[in-house]
Amino acid sequence: MASVRAVLIDIDGVLTVSWEPLPGAVAALREVREAGFGVALVTNTTSRTRASIASVLEGAGFAVSARDILTAPAVTAAYLAERCPGARCTLLNSGDITEDLAGVTLVGGESEDVDVVVLGGAGPEFGYTALNQVFGHLQGGARLVAMHRNLYWRTDDGLQLDSGAFLAGLEKAARTEAEITGKPSPAFFEAALARLGVGADEALMVGDDIESDVLAAQRAGLTGVLVKTGKYLPETHRSASGTPDHVIESFADLPALLGGSADQ
């Protein structure tokens, strides 16, 4: 841990569940900041904008601002601007995230002229009509860009199905492969590291998703820390494609794992 100068932290399942703070998380984040570590909250959440997430977290007691938050939609906007400038994009997502998609030309799913299908997080919007429209665009040659491959997430009511389950079906049916912009994409971690001004060997990633958060970060050169909260399940831990660098019970245990200040 001596080389660690910054911490990347997933939000849902690590700091909060259904936007309610997990025990000890507020105090632990404060300790991490006071110790001098750089902090970036990195999330595949697609139901809220960065500003909205910051407002909710502040209301829950976390000392954060929108500048501390990097979301899959924000990274997606940058990706589309670089790879598909001027493209007509149709978005299938649960929640209004247009504020974080500045510069992206959005058209309705019923449009006949779609260059890129952008898939966000699942919700009631993911009905047959919408999915079939997406399928039609893909058959017509549109590119498929997905913000993540998450199969599910944790709420107060338990695990809920996410868009990764629909994405797998669309890819197979349309015989295409999605371009992923959020975690576990290496580009997502690179964007977070660039924002913090540190190298991969100086950063640690804390997450509840062993594949998309932890092992993906480790493949990008970061130190990975798995927490046993949120979507964590013993069976997914046992059957994972690799081994986390560290496993802790919850985010509340992170200050002890870091063991001191970033200046040591």
Side-chain angles (χ1 to χ4, degrees):
M1 291 296 167
S3 65
V4 174
R5 296 174 47 215
V7 182
L8 281 59
I9 309 164
D10 185 31
I11 299 174
D12 191 24
V14 177
L15 297 180
T16 67
V17 168
S18 294
W19 301 105
E20 292 296 322
L22 286 165
V26 171
L29 183 59
R30 182 172 61 247
E31 288 182 53
V32 169
R33 284 193 181 280
E34 290 175 350
F37 293 94
V39 169
L41 306 186
V42 291
T43 177
N44 277 348
T45 297
T46 57
S47 59
R48 295 174 181 267
T49 63
R50 293 167 61 238
S52 173
I53 292 170
S55 176
V56 171
L57 292 178
E58 285 182 291
F62 293 99
V64 299
S65 70
R67 293 188 303 274
D68 299 316
I69 300 169
L70 184 64
T71 65
V75 173
T76 300
Y79 181 91
L80 292 171
E82 178 184 352
R83 306 289 183 91
C84 317
R88 290 167 56 85
C89 305
T90 187
L91 171 68
L92 180 56
N93 180 68
S94 186
D96 184 3
I97 54 172
T98 52
E99 180 182 321
D100 282 348
L101 292 175
V104 177
T105 301
L106 294 175
V107 297
E110 69 285 351
S111 174
E112 295 182 0
D113 185 12
V114 172
D115 302 309
V116 182
V117 169
V118 182
L119 215 63
E125 296 82 358
F126 278 60
Y128 178 81
T129 299
L131 287 166
N132 199 46
Q133 285 178 340
V134 165
F135 179 48
H137 295 314
L138 297 177
Q139 290 182 89
R143 296 170 67 168
L144 177 58
V145 173
M147 297 186 189
H148 58 72
R149 286 190 181 278
N150 295 357
L151 295 172
Y152 50 81
W153 77 96
R154 171 78 63 181
T155 72
D156 286 339
D157 297 323
L159 297 179
Q160 304 292 313
L161 201 63
D162 209 344
S163 54
F166 301 99
L167 177 60
L170 286 170
E171 287 178 313
K172 189 167 184 178
R175 298 179 183 177
T176 189
E177 185 173 347
E179 303 163 48
I180 307 299
T181 54
K183 296 176 292 182
S185 165
F188 188 93
F189 295 106
E190 290 168 8
L193 294 172
R195 178 169 296 191
L196 291 169
V198 299
D201 60 341
E202 299 174 302
L204 178 151
M205 172 69 207
V206 187
D208 64 326
D209 187 318
I210 190 169
E211 297 289 349
S212 294
D213 291 340
V214 181
L215 298 182
Q218 290 177 195
R219 287 192 292 273
L222 290 78
T223 298
V225 179
L226 177 66
V227 293
K228 294 183 176 182
T229 54
K231 67 169 63 172
Y232 173 87
L233 294 170
E235 53 266 36
T236 56
H237 189 175
R238 288 192 297 268
S239 63
S241 61
T243 303
D245 292 320
H246 302 276
V247 181
I248 57 180
E249 291 298 318
S250 74
F251 186 77
D253 298 321
L254 184 65
L257 178 65
L258 289 170
S261 73
D263 301 324
Q264 288 182 335

